Amino acid sequence: MNAPDPRVPTAAPDTAAVPNTGSARRAGWWTVTALAFLTALFTARYLTLDPAVFLDQQRAVYLAHRGSLVLHVGGGVLAVLLGPWQFLPRLRARRPGLHRLTGRLYLLAVLAAGTGGLLMAPRGLVGPVAPIGFTGLAVLLLLSSALAWRAARRRDILRHRAWAVRSYALILAAATLRIWLPVMDLAGVPFEQAYATAAWTCWLINLVVAEHVIARLPGLPPIPAPAPTAPPAG
């Protein structure tokens, strides 16, 4: 085979056709972090236990169950703030001890938020649709976080990352809920209908996005395509 003539310029690779995944990931991280901060800032008002900041329809319930409310909101605020830092590759590589410490704090916060959610969900509005939806959210949050912890203990890093993404997507349901309700209000949807659907969509939407992110995590094997079936003989 003849060697290429060095005097003939070779075509440069089409870098424009290759997406800059690093920039996209950084933009996504900053977007999620900003959303998490705003959600925590808005939700933390409930920790004052000032009745004026409570949802009108739930004011009596919140006042009667302050302990469960503080457990749910306090754990949720801490988890939503800690979560983004668990997904920084440089932090994991350079400060693994700090990564493990914040991970344990995140799990404790999730335990508080999920337990408080299970205690508060049956007393929610628009029963039984909304209470069942919020109960499902709390159960899946606790389950996905426990599976993330178990995978980390087994040094199964790929599964740990996948379950951690699902866990944080479920914590971010607090943000999706607070986006969904105003949008439904602007669309003219009655509050009870919007609230009932929000109890499900706030975490189902996030899980769909989480699975999209997980499918693109480096190191995860691709999902095999189904084998073609042979046509029947005859």
Side-chain angles (χ1 to χ4, degrees), residues 182-198:
V183 169
M184 291 297 100
D185 182 58
L186 291 174
V189 178
F191 174 79
E192 290 194 355
Q193 182 180 343
Y195 193 84
T197 56

Side-chain angles (χ1 to χ4, degrees), residues 66-86:
R66 292 183 179 91
S68 300
L69 178 67
V70 169
L71 194 66
H72 177 59
V73 174
V77 166
L78 181 58
V80 82
L81 289 175
L82 287 175
W85 307 99
Q86 294 301 100

Side-chain angles (χ1 to χ4, degrees), residues 1-59:
M1 181 180 294
N2 295 329
D5 189 343
R7 295 171 297 176
V8 179
T10 57
D14 186 6
T15 56
V18 179
N20 192 338
T21 56
S23 297
R25 287 174 185 169
R26 283 192 294 271
W29 186 88
W30 280 110
T31 301
V32 168
T33 303
L35 187 61
F37 176 79
L38 292 174
T39 301
L41 188 65
F42 179 86
T43 310
R45 302 179 306 155
Y46 282 71
L47 295 176
T48 66
L49 300 179
D50 181 2
V53 305
F54 295 160
L55 188 68
D56 293 340
Q57 296 89 335
Q58 286 286 82
R59 184 172 290 119

